[in-house]
Every structure is written in structure tokens, then in C-alpha cells.
Amino acid sequence: QTQMIEAINRRVQQEGLVNVRTILGTPTDPRLPAGELDAVLIVDAYREMDEPARPQVMQDLLQRISRALKPAGRVGIVDFMPGDGGPGPAAEDRVKPETIITTVEASGLRLQAREAVPPFQYLLVFGKPADAPKRSN
């Protein structure tokens, strides 16, 4: 979103940061440099990017994010716990962690960690299969 990019750019300038570069992507292409990123963090935005009626849109986006990662790079997704309670989107707009895990793993990344972010959110961390430990589920 252009407004978010502008807000980040203002903050970067205020903080005097030199290692932040904003990029305006598309729904299927984040326009990230291939193989250069240590981490990608998606916070409270998954539901805005996901189009359940068009699953290939999210698959394309996640595959391009994966290509942008260094071999040991990670993708972190923070979102709101299912159900009502606290700030955040309405209960029917929240995405269950299992839904995100299924979608992200279908793109080729593997779940490495799942943590609660009390009191209202969760964090999922994914990595490339060569780096990901085997899950016992």
C-alpha cells in the first residue's frame, strides 16, 4: 500500500536508518531481490493478501518471497488468534494458524516455530526445507 510505504519512509528518515529500502510490490510479486534477504516479516496483513477464491495468488507471492531469502532465511507471520477478544479484526476475518501453515507449506517453505504472542497474537516462522527441522505432527 502506497500510504504504508510513505509512512515507513518517513520513519526511516526520522530514525536516520540507512539499511532500510521500501519496495512497492504487487499482489503476486513483492519485487524483492533474489537470494538477498535474511528475513521477511508479515505482521497483521496475511488476511489482506490472501484471496481464498484464488489460491494461486498467495502461492505465487510466497514462492517469490522464498526466492528472495538467503539459504538460511526465514519468513515470520504474526497475526491475531482466532475468535473474539482484544484488538484486531472481527472474529470472522481472522485467519487460523493452521490455514496459514497449510498455505505456506504448499509454497515450499516449512514451519520451524510456532509461538504465542500474548495476549492476542501468534507467530509462525518458516524456512526453506533444507534448513527446516522435521516436524513430528
Side-chain angles (χ1 to χ4, degrees), residues 18-32:
V18 295
N19 64 342
V20 176
R21 186 178 92 194
T22 55
I23 300 169
L24 182 61
T26 71
T28 59
D29 187 357
R31 297 182 177 152
L32 299 172

Side-chain angles (χ1 to χ4, degrees), residues 32-94:
L32 299 172
E36 294 186 23
L37 302 179
D38 293 308
V40 171
L41 182 62
I42 300 169
V43 179
D44 301 338
Y46 187 92
R47 71 187 169 284
E48 294 179 24
M49 298 183 304
D50 191 25
E51 295 184 41
R54 297 176 46 208
Q56 193 58 47
V57 170
M58 196 61 170
Q59 291 300 313
D60 290 347
L61 177 67
L62 291 165
Q63 288 168 355
R64 287 185 174 106
I65 288 172
S66 179
R67 285 195 289 269
L69 295 173
K70 291 179 180 178
R74 304 287 178 261
V75 176
I77 299 176
V78 176
D79 223 308
F80 286 90
M81 297 279 194
D84 284 324
E92 63 271 9
D93 294 330
R94 296 182 185 206

